[in-house]
């Protein structure tokens, strides 16, 4: 099976060298047996330039030849003998210069040489379009636009596509990889295993719509066992012509000869998505009816190749009201296909029983691209989507209108296969213990859904396109091929002296994040784990009974082990400020210590502190104070570097912050971020704002080990933002505003954000000003101003009545 690299890159944006990609595909079980180059014009028109015919005289020794002088734009004109009847002085023509290699219609190469033709020297060749591979005409030379400059390379005028083609030795069980999209899907799984996350781009069919309903075709599926799903739609007013160059190039690259735009579009979708389609000439469907039924034994049918075949009683046929039109899933009929006179089609997309298709194909000695896929099993859930995709493509290349609703006969829905996977069976078959989270990650990358997890194993749902994965052993084989056969360790005796450390080792991750923070201008600090109990009085959240006390403290200021990294960080900030270093970005990896009854716990944390100005004084850059959003940006960078993206924001639940947010993954708080309260800073004699982020490192490590990657569909409808400037009492927190808004109306509310706080002498005593943004979004439609205004009015009334707030 041939796979075009350019085509593959339409689904997965990858800039790897072809050999590297081929190696990964082979490791994944899609063995690349060969890698070849393809050019839409063989030779790439190298050595062919625009020439200007300066003179054209009759050859003195031949009646049908002419001697021309041609300006090639590089100095002295050259003499070329030409036999074309249409060559004339003043023309701009393509000239293959001496040394150029051209190719005949069989792909055989021949070289342009200096020669004598009937006694006259010739230094090149004025070419016809078939000699250059730009067409089939040989009636005369190509005549180019008069505006072209002599010497211009012809490759600059014609779009020559260079491509790499992989020849994949596809095993019979891999029906899911019988398309470019299927190969890209597998390639993505391999890249995810290499920690390269690339978005999978699915061809869109969202713009499909019915223009009118003037050409309805009735469909009667009489054999629902052999045709479990049958869909179709009519397209009228189209024009059959040669396909656009890009479409021809895609098909040529994989060895398919373009026929016309309609047939080429169905072939394109076949090799794009793996779903065979067939186009019937609408005018040739008798009775405006499609009947799917078995053939009558001994009846005759002429297929597209002109062969008169005797049908078997088990052959499934696509018929109209009078006659058979197609052997279902195998080959079309001679008298129902698309021709140059076709103006309307009935486009078929179906799922046919694999055994039935294979028997019919073998019975008639046929092996087509459609039967190759049907007999191995296609994705039944893809039938309608591929139909819509093909209909849109046909409209794009052939025009026309959708003139019927989509007919989709799918009476008995296929259920996805369920498998229970035992952990001990994985380790037994593979011969190596794979971490549970690695197994889950690989299954996720293969679109295998984990329904439930027990101590013994996992309950799985297999996607419909994996028709070959139905047993526990099949799932284990999938895990192994993505994990990598080369990654399975040799025998234990060889491994005894080789240490193994996971990429999730704590020290490795700390080093990576430390390097990242240093790159952001931060300095690492290391503080004493012993601290003063008086700091506990600064926060009601820190209870004395949970202190881990020293039996023989050196002093009262070092009598307990720290419960948080905040206070030791503030000590470092105060120390630096006192020495005239007020612009600080500090971080520390450390532990906090807690006593819960008889049990003691150590919690790992990463503390980040920002205070002062973003940059030192400079005549080119204005001084900008460090703010909450700078800290938030650094926090987001850290989480992104760790591969943690599914984050939600909520008000922070801690009294050390005057304002802040909590970043959570699910129900687990990963980071608490906010502005440290003034009374805490005052205890350290710090007079400038300090922003503090507390990373719960243990939680982060646990989240990393899950290694789950989730994908959400990109919203099709825009977000809408509205802002309130609220004058509120000093005792009101952002969390009060957040909860009030959520309780009032959260149906369309996506996010609430505090983006400015003002506490100045221009406000009434006991008051402060909050600037709060509200983001709304509807997944199903575009929001109107009226809807948003109604919700904002509810919020205003709620804030005024419950929080005594005023709009500024």
């Amino acid at each position: 099976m041939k796979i075009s690299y350019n085509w593959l890159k339409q689904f997965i944006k990858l800039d790897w060298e072809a050999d590297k990609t081929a190696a990964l595909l082979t490791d994944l079980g899609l063995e690349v047996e060969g890698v070849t180059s393809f050019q839409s014009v063989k030779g790439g028109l190298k050595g062919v330039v625009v020439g200007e015919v300066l003179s054209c005289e009759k050859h003195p020794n031949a009646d049908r030849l002419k001697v021309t002088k041609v300006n090639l734009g590089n100095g002295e004109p050259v003499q070329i003998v030409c036999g074309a009847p249409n060559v004339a002085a003043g023309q701009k023509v393509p000239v293959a210069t001496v040394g150029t290699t051209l190719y005949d219609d069989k792909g055989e190469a021949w070289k342009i040489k200096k020669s004598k033709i009937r006694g006259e020297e010739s230094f090149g060749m004025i070419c016809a379009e078939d000699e250059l591979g730009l067409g089939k005409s040989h009636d005369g030379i190509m005549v180019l636009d008069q505006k072209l400059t002599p010497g211009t390379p012809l490759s600059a005028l014609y779009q020559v596509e260079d491509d790499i083609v992989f020849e994949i030795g596809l095993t019979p069980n891999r029906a899911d990889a019988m398309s470019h999209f299927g190969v890209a899907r597998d390639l993505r799984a391999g890249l995810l295993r290499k920690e390269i996350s690339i978005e999978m781009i699915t061809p869109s069919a969202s713009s499909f719509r019915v223009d009118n309903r003037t050409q309805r075709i009735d469909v009667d599926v009489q054999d629902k066992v052999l045709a479990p799903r049958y869909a179709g739609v009519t397209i009228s007013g189209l024009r059959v012509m040669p396909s656009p160059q890009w479409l021809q190039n895609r098909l040529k690259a994989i060895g398919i000869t373009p026929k016309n735009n309609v047939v080429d579009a169905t072939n394109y979708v076949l090799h794009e998505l793996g779903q065979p389609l067939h186009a019937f000439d609408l005018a040739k469907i008798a009775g405006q009816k499609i009947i799917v039924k078995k053939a009558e034994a001994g009846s005759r049918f002429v297929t597209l190749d002109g062969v008169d075949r005797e049908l078997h009683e088990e052959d499934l046929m696509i018929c109209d009201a009078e006659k058979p039109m197609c052997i279902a899933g195998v080959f079309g009929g001679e008298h129902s296909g698309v021709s140059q006179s076709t103006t309307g089609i009935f486009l078929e997309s179906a799922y046919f029983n694999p055994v039935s298709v294979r028997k019919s194909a073998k019975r008639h000695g046929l092996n087509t691209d459609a039967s190759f896929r049907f007999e191995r099993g296609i994705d039944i859930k893809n039938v309608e989507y591929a139909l819509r995709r093909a209909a849109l493509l046909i409209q794009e290349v052939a025009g026309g209108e959708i003139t019927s609703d989509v007919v989709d006969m799918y009476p008995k829905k296929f259920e996805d296969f369920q498998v229970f996977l035992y952990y001990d069976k994985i380790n037994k078959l593979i011969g190596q213990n794979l971490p549970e989270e690695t197994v889950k990650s690989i299954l996720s990358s293969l679109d295998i859904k984990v329904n439930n997890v027990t101590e013994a194993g996992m309950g799985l749902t297999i996607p419909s396109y994996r028709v070959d994965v139905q047993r526990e052993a099949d799932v284990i084989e999938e895990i192994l091929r993505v994990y990598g056969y080369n990654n399975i360790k040799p025998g234990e005796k060889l491994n005894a002296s080789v240490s193994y450390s996971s990429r999730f080792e704590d020290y490795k991750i700390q080093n990576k994040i430390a390097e990242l923070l240093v790159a952001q201008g931060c300095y690492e600090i290391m503080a004493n784990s012993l601290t003063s109990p008086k700091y506990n009085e600064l926060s009601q959240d820190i209870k004395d009974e949970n202190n881990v006390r020293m039996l023989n403290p050196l002093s009262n200021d070092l009598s307990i082990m720290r419960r948080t990294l905040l206070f030791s960080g503030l000590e470092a900030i105060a120390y630096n400020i006192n020495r005239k270093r007020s612009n600080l970005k500090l971080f520390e990896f450390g532990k906090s210590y807690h006593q819960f009854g008889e049990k003691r716990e150590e919690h790992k944390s990463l503390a980040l502190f920002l205070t002062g100005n973003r940059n030192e004084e400079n005549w080119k850059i204005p001084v900008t104070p460090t703010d909450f959003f700078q800290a938030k940006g650094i926090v987001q960078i850290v989480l992104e570097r760790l591969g943690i993206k599914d984050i939600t924001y909520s008000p922070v639940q801690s009294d050390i912050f005057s304002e802040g947010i909590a970043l959570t993954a699910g129900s687990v708080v990963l980071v608490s971020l906010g502005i440290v309260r003034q009374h805490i800073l005052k205890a350290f004699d710090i007079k400038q704002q300090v922003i503090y982020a507390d990373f719960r490192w243990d939680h982060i490590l646990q989240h990393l080990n899950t290694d789950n990657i989730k994908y959400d569909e990109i919203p099709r409808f825009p977000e809408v933002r509205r802002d309130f400037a609220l004058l509120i009492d000093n005792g009101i927190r952002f969390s009060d505003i957040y909860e009030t808004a959520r309780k009032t109306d959260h149906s369309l509310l996506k996010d609430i954000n505090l983006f400015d706080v003002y506490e100045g002498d221009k406000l009434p005593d006991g008051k402060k000003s909050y600037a709060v943004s509200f983001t709304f979004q509807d997944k199903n439609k575009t929001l109107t101003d009226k809807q948003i205004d109604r919700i904002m009015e509810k919020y205003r009334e709620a804030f005024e009545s419950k929080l005594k707030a005023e709009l500024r």
Side-chain angles (χ1 to χ4, degrees):
M1 183 183 72
K2 292 183 177 181
I3 293 293
S4 157
Y5 201 15
N6 286 349
W7 199 342
L8 202 61
K9 290 177 181 178
Q10 291 181 198
F11 308 113
I12 186 166
K13 301 298 184 183
L14 186 64
D15 57 359
W16 279 11
E17 294 293 329
D19 289 344
K20 189 176 179 181
T21 302
L24 179 56
L25 288 172
T26 299
D27 288 343
L28 289 167
L30 302 178
E31 184 180 359
V32 177
E33 298 175 338
V35 179
T36 58
S37 60
F38 166 80
Q39 289 180 311
S40 57
V41 177
K42 197 168 179 64
L45 299 177
K46 186 177 181 180
V48 183
V49 300
V50 174
E52 181 182 11
V53 181
L54 301 177
S55 65
C56 181
E57 305 292 338
K58 186 176 180 298
H59 194 292
N61 302 318
D63 292 336
R64 295 186 179 181
L65 298 178
K66 295 176 182 177
V67 180
T68 65
K69 292 286 186 180
V70 181
N71 174 19
L72 299 181
N74 59 356
E76 191 72 17
V78 298
Q79 179 171 292
I80 298 177
V81 177
C82 180
N86 64 327
V87 65
Q91 292 175 337
K92 300 289 178 65
V93 295
V95 177
T97 57
V98 174
T100 299
T101 300
L102 298 179
Y103 298 83
D104 60 22
D105 55 359
K106 296 180 181 179
E108 297 293 330
W110 53 287
K111 199 169 187 177
I112 302 297
K113 300 178 181 178
K114 173 185 173 181
S115 61
K116 271 192 176 183
I117 302 175
R118 296 287 185 94
E120 294 292 327
E121 289 185 321
S122 183
F123 298 88
M125 174 179 170
I126 303 175
C127 302
E129 67 180 33
D130 66 330
E131 292 165 333
L132 297 175
L134 296 174
K136 297 181 179 179
S137 173
H138 195 71
D139 295 334
I141 60 166
M142 291 180 68
V143 179
L144 306 175
D145 192 333
Q146 284 293 321
K147 297 178 182 179
L148 295 176
T149 303
T152 303
L154 209 65
S155 59
L157 307 179
Y158 291 87
Q159 186 179 1
V160 179
E161 181 171 350
D162 293 311
D163 199 358
I164 300 294
V165 179
F166 302 116
E167 184 69 42
I168 294 179
L170 195 67
T171 53
N173 64 307
R174 292 303 306 277
D176 63 295
M178 294 186 298
S179 65
H180 285 75
F181 187 80
V183 172
R185 190 166 47 199
D186 231 26
L187 186 59
R188 182 198 63 174
L191 291 169
L192 287 173
R193 179 62 194 156
K194 292 180 178 293
E195 300 181 5
I196 302 173
S197 180
I198 297 181
E199 179 187 2
M200 189 74 177
I201 302 171
T202 304
S204 174
S206 60
S207 60
F208 178 92
R209 65 181 180 85
V210 178
D211 297 300
N212 58 69
R213 295 173 174 80
T214 58
Q215 293 290 344
R216 184 173 180 271
I217 295 290
D218 293 324
V219 175
D220 179 17
V221 180
Q222 296 183 3
D223 195 325
K224 296 178 176 61
V225 174
L226 299 187
R229 188 172 190 181
Y230 189 92
V233 71
T234 62
I235 306 174
S236 303
L238 54 80
R239 183 183 173 195
V240 177
M241 63 181 78
S243 295
Q245 198 61 47
W246 70 266
L247 180 52
Q248 293 192 40
N249 290 344
R250 285 285 179 266
L251 297 179
K252 287 178 181 177
I254 58 175
I256 296 177
T257 302
K259 295 178 175 62
N260 59 59
N261 49 1
V262 175
V263 174
D264 292 348
T266 60
N267 282 333
Y268 182 91
V269 174
L270 166 70
H271 290 276
E272 179 186 56
L273 302 176
Q275 171 66 48
L277 302 114
H278 190 76
F280 298 93
D281 191 325
L282 197 58
K284 298 174 183 177
I285 300 176
Q288 299 292 290
K289 189 170 186 179
I290 293 289
I291 304 172
V292 184
K293 63 180 181 179
K294 289 182 179 178
E296 294 180 9
S299 58
R300 311 296 298 185
F301 179 66
V302 181
T303 49
L304 274 171
D305 56 1
V307 177
D308 188 359
R309 304 177 187 274
E310 181 178 341
L311 299 177
H312 188 273
E313 60 187 6
E314 292 299 318
D315 288 335
L316 186 68
M317 303 298 294
I318 311 299
C319 309
D320 61 16
E322 300 174 357
K323 61 187 182 299
M325 299 189 297
C326 176
I327 303 175
V330 181
F331 212 30
E334 185 178 44
H335 305 297
S336 62
V338 174
S339 65
Q340 288 300 119
S341 60
T342 298
T343 59
I345 61 169
F346 175 79
L347 185 61
E348 168 198 275
S349 178
Y351 178 96
F352 299 119
N353 181 276
V355 175
S356 171
V357 171
R358 181 169 179 78
K359 287 183 176 180
S360 291
K362 292 296 182 184
R363 194 179 294 126
H364 296 288
L366 294 169
N367 182 23
T368 63
D369 284 336
S371 67
F372 177 83
R373 286 159 177 79
F374 276 125
E375 65 191 34
R376 284 162 175 78
I378 62 169
D379 183 5
I380 194 169
K381 293 184 178 180
N382 212 31
V383 168
E384 185 180 5
Y385 163 67
L387 177 69
R388 292 172 181 266
R389 164 68 175 148
L392 289 172
L393 183 58
I394 289 172
Q395 282 189 297
E396 178 185 338
V397 300
E401 297 180 327
I402 306 295
T403 51
S404 76
D405 290 314
V406 172
V407 178
D408 188 7
M409 311 296 289
Y410 189 22
K412 186 178 180 181
K413 302 292 188 293
F414 278 33
E415 297 294 331
D416 290 339
F417 205 83
Q418 307 292 316
V419 173
F420 192 86
L421 179 65
Y422 289 92
Y423 297 132
D424 59 350
K425 192 65 174 291
I426 299 174
N427 301 330
K428 182 179 179 181
L429 287 184
I430 292 179
Q432 179 175 311
N433 291 336
L434 297 186
E436 179 184 336
E437 299 307 327
T438 298
V439 172
K440 288 181 180 178
S441 174
I442 292 173
L443 292 174
S444 176
S445 71
L446 292 170
D447 296 333
I448 297 176
K449 182 180 178 182
V450 179
N451 298 320
N452 55 77
V453 179
T454 67
E455 291 184 359
M458 295 178 281
L460 308 175
T461 297
I462 311 301
S464 58
Y465 62 80
R466 291 312 307 267
V467 295
D468 60 316
V469 180
Q470 297 188 354
R471 304 172 301 161
E472 186 182 22
D474 297 330
V475 177
I476 296 172
E477 181 185 0
E478 290 300 294
I479 294 169
L480 181 55
R481 72 178 181 84
V482 175
Y483 182 79
Y485 289 94
N486 295 335
N487 294 325
I488 300 300
K489 299 176 183 178
E492 290 186 3
K493 290 183 179 179
L494 295 175
N495 285 343
S497 60
V498 179
S499 63
Y500 170 79
S501 62
S502 167
R503 60 192 175 95
F504 293 115
E505 288 287 343
D506 188 5
Y507 75 93
K508 291 183 179 180
I509 299 171
Q510 284 192 31
N511 287 340
K512 288 182 180 179
I513 299 307
E515 291 172 359
L516 177 64
L517 291 172
V518 169
Q520 294 294 320
C522 299
Y523 289 88
E524 185 171 7
I525 61 174
M526 296 181 67
N528 198 334
S529 296
L530 299 176
T531 190
S532 171
K534 67 181 181 181
Y535 291 151
N536 292 355
E537 301 171 4
L538 300 175
S539 171
Q540 295 181 5
D541 294 339
I542 302 176
K543 306 297 184 184
D544 284 340
E545 61 264 26
N546 301 125
N547 290 337
V548 178
R549 298 185 177 274
M550 304 300 295
L551 294 178
N552 297 300
L554 295 175
S555 67
N556 190 53
D557 287 342
L558 298 174
S559 61
I560 65 170
M561 302 193 76
R562 61 181 177 181
R563 299 272 304 284
T564 173
L565 275 62
L566 170 64
F567 302 133
S568 54
L570 293 178
E571 287 177 340
I573 290 173
Y575 184 89
N576 279 271
I577 291 175
N578 290 337
R579 286 153 182 81
K580 306 302 180 183
R581 296 189 61 86
S582 58
N583 303 328
L584 301 169
K585 288 188 280 188
L586 308 175
F587 72 94
E588 179 186 8
F589 285 99
K591 294 180 180 179
S592 58
Y593 305 87
H594 310 266
Q595 181 93 34
F596 298 104
E598 297 298 321
K599 184 181 178 183
R600 293 174 181 167
E601 294 182 2
E602 296 181 5
H603 298 165
K604 294 180 181 178
S605 296
L606 165 61
L608 175 67
F609 302 88
L610 275 69
T611 187
N613 297 323
R614 286 176 179 243
N615 50 276
E616 300 295 336
E617 291 182 355
N618 189 295
W619 67 274
K620 294 176 68 175
I621 305 172
V623 173
T624 306
T626 296
D627 59 19
F628 173 84
F629 294 98
Q630 181 188 5
K632 181 183 176 184
I634 295 176
V635 170
Q636 289 174 328
I637 289 172
V638 170
L639 294 178
E640 287 176 8
R641 180 66 182 86
L642 293 168
I644 302 173
K645 298 180 180 179
D646 190 11
I647 297 298
T648 56
Y649 299 86
S650 61
V652 70
Q653 301 297 321
S654 175
D655 65 355
I656 66 173
F657 299 114
S658 60
E659 312 294 339
I661 57 173
L663 288 75
T664 61
S667 60
V668 179
V669 176
L670 300 183
V671 187
S672 297
L673 168 67
I675 301 170
V676 180
R677 284 187 174 275
Q678 287 293 330
H679 78 274
I680 296 177
L681 298 180
K682 187 176 181 180
F684 293 87
D685 198 24
I686 297 173
K687 297 180 175 63
Q688 59 192 52
Q689 180 176 269
V690 175
I691 300 155
Y692 169 59
D694 178 18
F695 293 77
R696 315 289 175 83
W697 198 249
D698 291 317
H699 294 173
I700 288 173
L701 292 178
Q702 291 172 6
H703 191 74
L704 282 179
N705 288 335
T706 62
D707 204 23
N708 285 331
I709 299 174
K710 297 181 179 179
Y711 297 88
D712 288 324
E713 182 181 358
I714 297 174
R716 293 174 10 189
F717 300 98
E719 297 176 349
V720 178
R721 169 175 163 161
R722 292 287 189 273
D723 297 343
F724 269 168
L726 299 172
L727 185 65
I728 55 178
D729 293 337
N730 283 335
I732 301 296
R733 292 185 178 188
F734 172 62
S735 59
D736 300 323
I737 297 173
Y738 184 93
E739 292 299 328
T740 301
R742 296 285 299 176
K743 290 177 181 178
T744 301
D745 191 328
H746 66 272
S747 58
L748 300 176
L749 185 61
K750 184 178 180 183
D751 189 29
I752 306 173
N753 184 44
L754 175 65
F755 65 89
D756 189 42
V757 178
Y758 177 68
E759 296 175 303
D761 54 8
K762 295 182 180 179
L763 298 179
D765 290 339
K767 297 287 186 178
K768 59 184 175 181
S769 175
Y770 274 9
V772 184
S773 67
F774 302 85
T775 304
F776 304 93
Q777 188 174 47
D778 191 325
K779 294 181 179 180
N780 301 313
K781 62 179 182 298
T782 301
L783 293 171
T784 64
D785 288 339
K786 195 178 216 180
Q787 289 175 284
I788 303 304
D789 291 343
R790 190 182 305 120
I791 296 173
M792 294 302 291
E793 180 61 24
K794 288 183 184 178
Y795 289 166
R796 184 188 66 77
E797 293 174 356
F799 294 152
E800 289 178 352
S801 61
K802 296 179 181 179
L803 304 180
K804 308 302 180 185
E806 299 177 25
L807 285 183
R808 294 188 69 195

